[in-house]
Amino acid sequence: MTNEKFSEDNLDPAEIRRIWKNVAVVAVSFMVHFTAINAAINLQSSINAEEGLGTASLVALFTGNLVSNIFLTSVVIRWLGTKRTIYCGFITYMPYIVSQLYPRFYTLVPAALFLGLGSGPLWCAESTYLSVASEAHSLISKIPAKRLLSRFLGFFFMIMQSSQIWGNLISSLVISTANNASMTIVSESNIPLLCGSNFLPNLDASAALPPQPPKKINILAGTYLACMVAATIIVVKWLDPMKRYAFCRKKTDNSLAGLSLLTATVKQLANISQLLLVPISIFSGLHQSFFFADFTSSFVSCAIGTGSVGYVMMAYGASDVMGCLVTGFLVKCLGRLPVICGALFIHGGLFVTLVSWRPNAGDYYVMFIIAVFWGVCNSVWMVQIYTYHGVLFRGKEEAAYSNYQQWMGTGYVIAAALSSYVRTRFKVYLIFSVLITGGLGYLAVEYRQRRIALYSNANTSPDPDQGE
């Protein structure tokens, strides 16, 4: 394939291979990059447990992400372009890894905030690139662009989510090498009393979570930083600039930005269906933040050692990837409602288990079972609830997706802010309550949509969502 610019007058079928190459470059670069950052985030509440430093950095990270999603995404992409936004976004993550070498409130927290501010434009650029690539592919193949975008996103998330496996494998191999510092320092008789739902991070962390040797942290930070540099090089060297498909972008580039997006997001809440989905969106952030920060420290690190965190999170990542594939197939066969109801039931059972179960030193298998089922449930919330917003609010997708992202981000911030100061049991009660509320809200939306469909088929009533 030559470097001739792709245009409507030059619809070479060979361009399809180049488009898929670009999609693969985006997916692989994000996988390599998030191999580092996901594993580092998973370890924060364990390796930087003193005075809640790790969880404070997560609060800053999620707060920065909330701000950037509203005010920075479109502005940065228009200023830098899509390709530059991706690799510059990768660079904004690097100070957070470097700050692990000298973790203090004045180093780690500002670096986390900077990361959060860079994450919004990064993810928006990824979505923009795949969206425009699907439009270009559609011009040649005549396959609907929405169907192609679904394929691209499925491929992207399958590759990217595997970063949970590789990053946590690295952390486990480094931290769990034979020495006492990687093991829990709680006596076996005290583990059921101190760990699990009884754990209170700001009081119990010093007694249950041993500090890691600086040499191991240095190895981890160096390895993760190398991954980020490699991801940046992959994008710079092998990703075609978005201007190659500029004529496609003109057709799709009608995005809202800044205060316009904020206004549209708020107005969208006047839609009853959108309002009913707010609790399940908050839950999507709450449960992930809880799992990354509280489950890893209260259960895994406290009971079986920090060196086991990576292995448990590998199981979570693998089940999340497989869940995306399996649940998508199940939705085609059974429909969305049974799949989401199944996830509600399973996740509710997990919360009951966390409250009632008292972990012991030999309970490795229970940790892995919880991680596997949590990953499967997360695949449902992340894919099906996100997709449902696009199905429900056709023509208002941007405001609907913004609502989902903002409320999910709010859940992240709430869970991270509570992490150090609230006993694990009470956090489980809170998140379980939000799950029940969110499940009822989702079921109410499904009920409304079925009534709307019945009225539409009978041609007796307009869609009550129209004009809301």
Side-chain angles (χ1 to χ4, degrees):
M1 183 70 188
T2 66
N3 288 323
E4 183 180 359
K5 187 175 180 180
F6 179 58
S7 67
E8 286 183 290
D9 300 323
N10 177 31
L11 301 180
D12 189 340
E15 183 70 25
I16 289 179
R17 291 194 298 272
R18 187 158 186 162
I19 291 171
W20 270 107
K21 182 270 294 184
N22 286 321
V23 172
V25 167
V26 173
V28 171
S29 65
F30 271 69
M31 182 270 289
V32 174
H33 178 76
F34 282 93
T35 287
I37 197 62
N38 283 341
I41 288 174
N42 294 341
L43 287 170
Q44 286 309 298
S45 60
S46 298
I47 64 174
N48 291 315
E50 188 174 355
E51 297 182 358
L53 174 58
T55 51
S57 73
L58 296 182
V59 173
L61 189 161
F62 299 138
T63 302
N65 178 260
L66 274 175
V67 173
S68 70
N69 276 329
I70 297 177
F71 298 106
L72 297 180
T73 51
S74 296
V75 173
V76 171
I77 290 175
R78 288 172 182 170
W79 178 39
L80 294 178
T82 307
K83 177 178 177 177
R84 287 197 187 97
T85 299
I86 291 176
Y87 66 73
C88 288
F90 286 167
I91 293 171
T92 64
Y93 283 60
M94 294 181 184
Y96 188 69
I97 299 299
V98 174
S99 65
Q100 304 295 323
L101 301 173
Y102 189 73
R104 301 290 187 275
F105 277 94
Y106 56 84
T107 59
L108 199 60
V109 172
L113 181 61
F114 187 54
L115 185 162
L117 293 174
S119 64
L122 172 65
W123 283 101
C124 185
E126 171 267 330
S127 299
T128 300
Y129 198 102
L130 296 187
S131 177
V132 176
S134 69
E135 293 284 347
H137 191 303
S138 179
L139 285 174
I140 303 172
S141 64
K142 306 307 179 184
I143 299 173
K146 287 187 177 181
R147 188 185 304 173
L148 288 165
L149 181 59
S150 178
R151 293 179 189 175
F152 288 170
L153 288 173
F155 175 79
F156 170 82
F157 280 110
M158 182 180 67
I159 300 298
M160 195 279 293
Q161 285 289 74
S162 70
S163 62
Q164 284 281 4
I165 301 173
W166 317 124
N168 288 303
L169 177 61
I170 293 170
S171 68
S172 293
L173 291 175
V174 172
I175 292 179
S176 65
T177 51
N179 67 68
N180 292 332
S182 67
M183 305 301 293
T184 179
I185 56 177
V186 182
S187 65
E188 289 193 15
S189 60
N190 286 332
I191 285 176
L193 300 175
L194 180 65
C195 302
S197 61
N198 289 326
F199 194 78
L200 181 59
N202 66 329
L203 292 181
D204 300 333
S206 59
L209 305 179
Q212 293 298 311
K215 181 180 179 180
K216 290 191 173 186
I217 300 301
N218 293 345
I219 293 172
L220 277 179
T223 304
Y224 290 156
L225 191 61
C227 289
M228 291 181 167
V229 172
T232 304
I233 292 173
I234 289 171
V235 172
V236 171
K237 187 171 179 61
W238 285 292
L239 186 66
D240 288 328
M242 194 77 264
K243 64 178 64 175
R244 181 175 181 82
Y245 310 113
F247 71 98
C248 294
R249 190 174 188 182
K250 289 176 183 177
K251 293 179 182 179
T252 59
D253 188 20
N254 57 354
S255 59
L256 301 171
L259 292 176
S260 297
L261 178 58
L262 179 61
T263 302
T265 300
V266 174
K267 285 183 177 180
Q268 180 67 12
L269 289 173
N271 186 307
I272 297 175
S273 293
Q274 181 74 73
L275 198 61
L276 288 169
L277 290 176
V278 166
I280 200 69
S281 301
I282 294 175
F283 171 78
S284 296
L286 277 174
H287 87 86
Q288 288 187 78
S289 184
F290 173 85
F291 190 77
F292 296 154
D294 292 285
F295 180 76
T296 55
S297 59
S298 303
F299 289 86
V300 183
S301 290
C302 184
I304 62 177
T306 303
S308 300
V309 170
Y311 293 120
V312 172
M313 295 305 294
M314 282 174 61
Y316 165 82
S319 65
D320 201 346
V321 172
M322 292 303 299
C324 290
L325 299 175
V326 174
T327 56
F329 174 77
L330 289 176
V331 167
K332 288 182 180 179
C333 296
L334 304 176
R336 179 178 52 250
L337 181 60
V339 172
I340 291 184
C341 287
L344 285 168
F345 179 79
I346 293 172
H347 223 146
L350 291 174
F351 288 123
V352 172
T353 300
L354 292 183
V355 173
S356 58
W357 171 52
R358 295 292 177 263
N360 288 285
D363 288 345
Y364 287 88
Y365 71 97
V366 182
M367 306 288 185
F368 282 96
I369 291 172
I370 291 174
V372 167
F373 280 105
W374 207 293
V376 172
C377 290
N378 183 62
S379 69
V380 175
W381 308 132
M382 294 301 292
V383 177
Q384 298 307 322
I385 297 300
Y386 185 84
T387 304
Y388 195 38
H389 278 73
V391 172
L392 276 178
F393 308 112
R394 297 191 185 279
K396 299 180 181 179
E397 290 92 346
E398 193 163 22
Y401 287 139
S402 177
N403 263 288
Y404 174 77
Q405 294 290 347
Q406 296 309 316
W407 289 113
M408 183 175 69
T410 301
Y412 273 118
V413 173
I414 292 171
L418 295 177
S419 183
S420 295
Y421 308 104
V422 178
R423 199 171 294 277
T424 300
R425 180 189 308 111
F426 299 116
K427 284 177 277 192
V428 174
Y429 292 152
L430 170 65
I431 301 173
F432 193 12
S433 299
V434 177
L435 172 64
I436 294 172
T437 305
L440 292 174
Y442 164 75
L443 292 174
V445 173
E446 287 282 13
Y447 175 73
R448 291 187 81 240
Q449 293 305 309
R450 288 170 190 250
R451 282 188 59 204
I452 291 169
L454 288 173
Y455 283 133
S456 297
N457 291 335
N459 198 26
T460 59
S461 175
D463 183 342
D465 276 340
Q466 295 299 319
E468 285 186 334

